[in-house]
Amino acid sequence: MSHSETHILKFGGSSLKNASLINQSANIVAGHMQKAHPIVVVSAIGGVTDTLIELTNLDQKTEHKSCRIINDLELRHRRIFDEVASVSHPNRGDLQDLFGRLRTTFDDKSLKSEHYQAWKDQILSIGERASALIFSAALSEQQIESTAHESSHFVKTDSTFGKARVQRDATRKLIRKFINQSQAVPVITGFIGSNEKQQITTLGRSGSDYSAGLIADALDADHLEIWTDVDGVLTADPRWVPDAESIEQLSFGDISELSAHGARVIHPKTIQPIQNKKTTVLVKNSYNPEHPGTLITSDFDTNGSLKTIAITGPFVRLQIDQKYAYDLFEKLNKWSADNPNTKPIEFRQQSEFEAVRFSLKQSFFEDIKEQLSAWAAKQNTLFNLDDNLYKVKKFSNQFNKGEQLSGRVISLLAKNNIQPLHTERNYDERFISFLLPEDEARRAAHLINNAISKTKPVIDLFIAGTGAVGKTLLNQLNKLKTTDIEFRLIGTCNSRNTLWNTDGINLDTTLNWDEAEQTNWDTLLDKLTKNQHRDLIFVDATGSEEVARLYPKLFANTIHVVTPSKLANTFEQSFFDKLQSLIQKHHSSFNYETTVGAGLPVISTIEELQSTGNKITEISGVVSGTMTYLFNQLEQDVPFSKAIADARKKGYAEPDPRDDLSGEDVARKFLTLARTLGIKIEREELQVESLIPKELKDVDGKTFLGKLSDYDSEWKQRIRSAQERNETLRYTGKLKDGNITIGIESVPQDSPLGQLKGTDNLIQIYSEFYNQTPLVIQGPGAGKEVTAAGVLSDILKTVEQLT
Ligand code: ASP
Ligand code: MG
């Protein structure tokens, strides 16, 4: 078989957790047989090393549990064995002997007291030795000839039990000698070695990957395949960031750099032995074998595109008065000296007058807790403590000067109101890390992952109100094609029912209201504020006062609002001010372009003029499409009452046309414009001329409509006399010098206002720079299509502000 390739196939504990996973793994080995000579390296069966460690931690009080633990362990192995191999297989006896040895070693009190670590390593080695026996027997079952090997025969190490250092040259020679490629498929224990006295040592947790690397090197393997329980190397730990994506390809350099930054997929030392080789490394998922996984090769050039997040912790943070800091720092270093993995992480001093802070691994802190309090008592001092902190580190191998990667991440967190306890960054911006409480760390990791992710970031949407605008918006959203973001509708509601689905409601089919719950704003608000993994935009298309009054709570939770409802901006001035300050404080955003002139860019224009320092001196014109329609009809001799009835039929006017005729709608629009300009003004301060005859103010809707024709001749008269002067009537508003006046105006027929048709609005803006001729915005100012399109463009604008 000398012509074929050498493949090292390493199976982690999660890939061997039960009989069916072991059989699947054996099939994978079989699959490699055609073109390669496979060599198998195994970890202990999933969870076994943890159980063995538990065993070694028993003390006098708990020792009686050992029998049960060992029996359970043996039973678990034996059951798996019997499922994957035949009872007559000789390894079955070896497995039994192995557990006999475990019992003897466990009871070896003299070894335990003389050299606890050596004793412990012997016990830990049982896991890999047992799984090698089982796996090898499982291969025989598939007619693959195989032998189990204990790597303690050829992996030579020093005597640092628990984390032994490998003697590379001796090991390489012995592997070559023992693993003769012309033989049956070897199944080798990972994780274990032996020192010069032939005592068993272990290479540290997850060390089987490293064993596989050593074997790959010694045998000049062409290919090393590492089977685990995730889709290869991911952009982040999926337990923290469910949206983490797998990285297609990496270089050896990348993977060691990632390991150094705390990313955990394969053991940091795995690649080390084969660094100068052409071996290809493939990380695969036993739980999703079809996924291509991650390919790691020596020379792959990620081309500056590698971005990942590593989360480490938990940490505790100590804060102590200046004058004790140095002493404490010395003590911490001393205590951690015999424990090289737990060095105090930082020693920082903000200024001479501030307390000093240290971050420590929480496990280390637990170990030294007593010493620490004894020390504090002696100094007669106290320290402050934050615990359960995590470090979220964004790493990128991109290095373009001036790219400001950290700046972007920092402002992303700031926008989402996440304030790290500590930020650490490298001068060349290859990484930036944030220390945060667990919950915040999770949110931060999520946000950063969204920002660096290759696929589109997801933005959550909730749409309240499924009337004309809401429904049209849902349709438009479904047709929307964005290239750089994906919207997910997590819920929608009307006054009666609520649909909620955080995985996203499918917009391709009609909404299924059968699955709806009753709308309850207390519970809904609770759900909305708890759904804070992604940016959330709340669209209020209800026109309900109750909903508008919820905005403060939404803004306080950094939920962004987009609305065509005029209500929130036109309540009392103090409410408006409250909204503004919450928006500022919580980095929320509020877009309400469609409250004036529907989709016309009125609000954005005045905001832009103002932000460029162009002082606005006057805003005037027609902001009611219904009114334009009404006067157009009057011009054409249509009676007043009929024009209003038609406007209702066409959906321009409100169901009770008095809402339009009263001028209230126009008043609210001007109030919004004024407040957007920063003018403090209450509704009562506006002068508004109503078109509702005094006598009909308080009658019911039906009577109102019935009596309207009484006024037809009066209106005919009014429009005629204007026309005789070559003028016509328009319902206009004007904001000037902080005052708002609204009412009927007679304007020249050939003026822009006089020419208005359909449901058009016309807004004139005079400013310092536009003081002779105004800036004019004209177009359809009503209608569900234009309004929904305007809402959609506000949604997109919100996203722009966020990213
Ligand atoms: N079984 C050992 C552990 O759980 C080594 C390994 O799985 O790589 O740490
Ligand atoms: Mg508008």
Side-chain angles (χ1 to χ4, degrees):
M1 278 201 202
S2 58
H3 59 279
S4 76
E5 296 184 356
T6 301
H7 290 186
I8 314 294
L9 305 173
K10 188 261 166 180
F11 297 96
S14 50
S15 307
L16 304 169
K17 242 186 159 148
N18 56 42
S20 73
L21 281 162
I22 291 176
N23 283 331
Q24 179 185 306
S25 302
N27 280 329
I28 290 165
V29 176
H32 282 261
M33 300 276 294
Q34 284 121 33
K35 70 166 192 179
H37 182 70
I39 289 152
V40 178
V41 180
V42 290
S43 291
I45 286 172
V48 169
T49 308
D50 289 327
T51 310
L52 292 166
I53 290 176
E54 191 190 325
L55 199 60
T56 62
N57 285 339
L58 297 177
D59 54 21
Q60 270 173 350
K61 265 189 261 159
T62 50
E63 219 171 59
H64 63 275
K65 290 188 188 159
S66 70
C67 262
R68 195 186 45 78
I69 295 177
I70 296 176
N71 289 345
D72 286 355
L73 213 50
E74 182 173 15
L75 192 65
R76 183 171 172 210
H77 282 88
R78 198 162 354 127
R79 279 199 181 131
I80 294 179
F81 190 100
D82 291 346
E83 271 188 75
V84 299
S86 96
V87 224
S88 60
H89 196 285
N91 285 7
R92 198 168 188 271
D94 294 346
L95 189 66
Q96 202 171 344
D97 292 348
L98 195 61
F99 280 93
R101 232 168 302 155
L102 172 59
R103 291 190 178 86
T104 334
T105 310
F106 185 80
D107 292 334
D108 188 344
K109 292 285 167 327
S110 70
L111 179 59
K112 183 178 179 184
S113 58
E114 261 165 50
H115 205 324
Y116 174 80
Q117 295 297 341
W119 173 80
K120 180 173 174 179
D121 272 5
Q122 274 193 40
I123 290 183
L124 296 196
S125 75
I126 300 290
E128 269 69 12
R129 290 154 81 186
S131 71
L133 288 172
I134 295 176
F135 199 89
S136 168
L139 286 178
S140 315
E141 205 54 22
Q142 312 229 3
Q143 318 307 326
I144 298 169
E145 206 191 318
S146 117
T147 336
H149 290 267
E150 298 197 354
S151 53
S152 44
H153 296 140
F154 41 79
V155 173
K156 297 311 291 181
T157 72
D158 69 2
S159 296
T160 323
F161 294 97
K163 215 180 172 58
R165 277 180 287 262
V166 174
Q167 287 152 358
R168 293 279 306 280
D169 289 340
T171 299
R172 190 182 297 115
K173 276 190 204 122
L174 285 167
I175 292 175
R176 285 190 176 155
K177 188 172 144 203
F178 271 87
I179 307 300
N180 183 333
Q181 296 200 30
S182 65
Q183 275 177 13
V185 172
V187 178
I188 308 171
T189 60
F191 188 48
I192 54 187
S194 66
N195 66 6
E196 81 272 6
K197 289 190 225 153
Q198 315 309 330
Q199 287 172 300
I200 286 184
T201 56
T202 61
L203 308 183
R205 289 309 303 266
S206 309
S208 301
D209 289 341
Y210 182 31
S211 310
L214 292 166
I215 294 164
D217 165 47
L219 301 179
D220 294 321
D222 302 281
H223 183 67
L224 164 58
E225 216 160 276
I226 296 180
W227 286 84
T228 177
D229 55 2
V230 284
D231 293 334
V233 181
L234 304 183
T235 53
D237 184 335
R239 283 167 303 183
W240 284 80
V241 185
D243 290 347
E245 291 163 15
S246 96
I247 302 170
E248 272 164 56
Q249 200 169 349
L250 288 168
S251 72
F252 285 176
D254 295 331
I255 198 84
S256 52
E257 198 147 10
L258 284 182
S259 303
H261 285 285
R264 289 230 137 253
V265 169
I266 59 174
H267 190 280
K269 283 189 188 162
T270 314
I271 302 296
Q272 209 184 59
I274 48 170
Q275 225 158 62
N276 302 316
K277 302 246 160 136
K278 288 261 168 280
T279 317
T280 54
V281 180
L282 185 61
V283 182
K284 292 275 293 177
N285 187 357
S286 286
Y287 296 81
N288 187 15
E290 287 76 36
H291 192 281
T294 299
L295 182 65
I296 312 167
T297 51
S298 61
D299 50 1
F300 181 71
D301 185 1
T302 27
N303 217 349
S305 62
L306 174 65
K307 298 183 186 75
T308 61
I309 302 164
I311 296 135
T312 48
F315 294 100
V316 298
R317 196 169 67 142
L318 304 180
Q319 180 168 314
I320 187 133
D321 198 281
Q322 271 292 319
K323 56 178 188 265
Y324 303 107
Y326 188 71
D327 190 31
L328 177 60
F329 187 58
E330 276 208 306
K331 287 281 180 312
L332 290 172
N333 271 313
K334 200 175 125 234
W335 293 328
S336 68
D338 18 300
N339 206 342
N341 297 319
T342 50
K343 282 253 171 282
I345 308 294
E346 292 148 21
F347 169 62
R348 293 190 311 115
Q349 185 173 335
Q350 306 278 36
S351 86
E352 244 181 275
F353 309 100
E354 274 180 65
V356 175
R357 298 180 186 133
F358 305 93
S359 314
L360 313 171
K361 273 202 176 151
Q362 196 146 316
S363 55
F364 172 56
F365 171 77
E366 300 295 340
D367 289 347
I368 60 161
K369 221 165 167 174
E370 274 163 35
Q371 286 142 292
L372 200 59
S373 8
W375 171 85
K378 209 165 95 206
Q379 313 292 323
N380 202 7
T381 183
L382 285 172
F383 49 80
N384 250 325
L385 180 77
D386 298 310
D387 63 354
N388 227 15
L389 305 178
Y390 286 81
K391 244 187 217 178
V392 178
K393 184 182 263 179
K394 175 188 165 281
F395 169 78
S396 160
N397 67 357
Q398 197 151 17
F399 178 32
N400 295 334
K401 272 236 157 59
E403 268 226 353
Q404 298 290 322
L405 286 177
S406 328
R408 266 176 39 210
V409 180
I410 290 171
S411 65
L412 176 70
L413 297 192
K415 270 186 201 162
N416 287 281
N417 207 30
I418 296 176
Q419 287 151 4
L421 299 167
H422 176 50
T423 303
E424 205 184 318
R425 53 175 148 169
N426 196 331
Y427 71 97
D428 68 359
E429 305 221 335
R430 284 167 76 88
F431 79 83
I432 178 159
S433 96
F434 305 96
L435 188 68
L436 292 159
E438 187 173 350
D439 271 9
E440 300 253 290
R442 195 173 291 281
R443 267 181 70 210
H446 216 101
L447 287 164
I448 300 172
N449 187 66
N450 256 353
I452 66 174
S453 132
K454 265 189 272 139
T455 55
K456 307 171 183 184
V458 181
I459 307 275
D460 285 349
L461 279 180
F462 185 93
I463 299 178
T466 53
V469 173
K471 229 182 252 154
T472 313
L473 176 64
L474 286 170
N475 278 330
Q476 292 182 359
L477 258 177
N478 192 31
K479 287 191 217 121
L480 180 73
K481 300 236 180 333
T482 59
T483 48
D484 38 14
I485 31 163
E486 184 190 327
F487 288 110
R488 192 168 50 182
L489 182 69
I490 59 162
T492 181
C493 72
N494 52 37
S495 56
R496 279 153 288 120
N497 296 311
T498 301
L499 282 174
W500 181 270
N501 181 354
T502 44
D503 293 332
I505 294 171
N506 185 3
L507 286 172
D508 282 332
T509 54
T510 42
L511 297 180
N512 182 5
W513 289 100
D514 294 342
E515 289 163 14
E517 299 158 33
Q518 225 176 17
T519 298
N520 173 328
W521 278 106
D522 286 336
T523 31
L524 243 177
L525 198 65
D526 207 49
K527 278 184 174 173
L528 289 167
T529 51
K530 290 218 167 88
N531 176 66
Q532 276 291 48
H533 286 318
R534 297 192 166 78
D535 282 312
L536 170 59
I537 302 173
F538 178 91
V539 179
D540 173 14
T542 63
S544 138
E545 168 153 0
E546 186 190 5
V547 177
R549 293 272 177 200
L550 296 175
Y551 296 2
K553 290 200 182 109
L554 297 174
F555 290 141
N557 284 285
T558 321
I559 294 172
H560 315 290
V561 177
V562 167
T563 187
S565 158
K566 291 176 266 294
L567 293 172
N569 279 331
T570 57
F571 293 142
E572 60 284 3
Q573 175 74 43
S574 60
F575 187 81
F576 183 88
D577 294 340
K578 185 158 129 201
L579 293 182
Q580 294 306 314
S581 80
L582 286 167
I583 288 165
Q584 282 268 316
K585 185 163 169 223
H586 298 279
H587 311 277
S588 322
S589 81
F590 184 27
N591 285 299
Y592 51 86
E593 180 62 80
T594 48
T595 59
V596 182
L600 299 177
V602 181
I603 304 286
S604 55
T605 302
I606 64 174
E607 276 172 347
E608 225 157 83
L609 289 176
Q610 271 200 313
S611 74
T612 54
N614 192 346
K615 199 169 171 311
I616 291 167
T617 49
E618 181 188 319
I619 301 177
S620 60
V622 169
V623 292
S624 165
T626 312
M627 292 290 201
T628 306
Y629 177 81
L630 173 63
F631 288 107
N632 264 224
Q633 296 301 98
L634 293 178
E635 283 165 9
Q636 288 156 42
D637 273 351
V638 178
F640 181 66
S641 57
K642 182 168 188 310
I644 287 171
D646 289 350
R648 272 186 85 222
K649 255 186 248 149
K650 292 202 148 90
Y652 301 149
E654 302 291 321
D656 186 341
R658 276 175 291 190
D659 293 341
D660 292 300
L661 298 177
S662 67
E664 193 54 37
D665 178 69
V666 174
R668 286 192 180 142
K669 286 168 178 163
F670 270 88
L671 197 53
T672 303
L673 290 173
R675 286 177 175 173
T676 303
L677 287 179
I679 297 165
K680 305 237 180 248
I681 186 166
E682 300 288 358
R683 167 67 184 86
E684 299 74 54
E685 296 171 60
L686 273 63
Q687 292 167 38
V688 184
E689 180 187 353
S690 168
L691 301 194
I692 301 169
K694 270 195 211 69
E695 314 79 57
L696 297 188
K697 240 165 98 181
D698 301 315
V699 302
D700 64 77
K702 223 172 149 196
T703 324
F704 173 77
L705 289 171
K707 290 251 181 209
L708 268 185
S709 53
D710 294 357
Y711 303 86
D712 286 351
S713 61
E714 184 187 327
W715 277 104
K716 195 171 187 154
Q717 195 48 46
R718 277 182 87 169
I719 194 95
R720 277 240 172 101
S721 71
Q723 281 169 333
E724 275 155 20
R725 285 173 274 132
N726 284 331
E727 290 187 346
T728 186
L729 302 181
R730 290 290 179 261
Y731 194 81
T732 66
K734 180 188 269 181
L735 162 65
K736 196 179 181 180
D737 302 326
N739 296 312
I740 294 172
T741 39
I742 290 162
I744 297 171
E745 201 184 329
S746 191
V747 299
Q749 278 174 350
D750 56 3
S751 68
L753 280 179
Q755 294 286 311
L756 277 186
K757 292 278 161 339
T759 59
D760 274 9
N761 284 8
L762 188 149
I763 296 107
Q764 302 162 307
I765 304 171
Y766 292 86
S767 66
E768 255 170 3
F769 304 141
Y770 293 102
N771 54 14
Q772 296 302 318
T773 36
L775 184 78
V776 174
I777 300 166
Q778 182 179 354
K784 58 182 187 180
E785 293 289 344
V786 283
T787 305
V791 170
L792 189 55
S793 108
D794 266 357
I795 293 174
L796 293 169
K797 188 162 143 199
T798 308
V799 174
E800 222 166 86
Q801 288 160 346
L802 294 173
T803 47

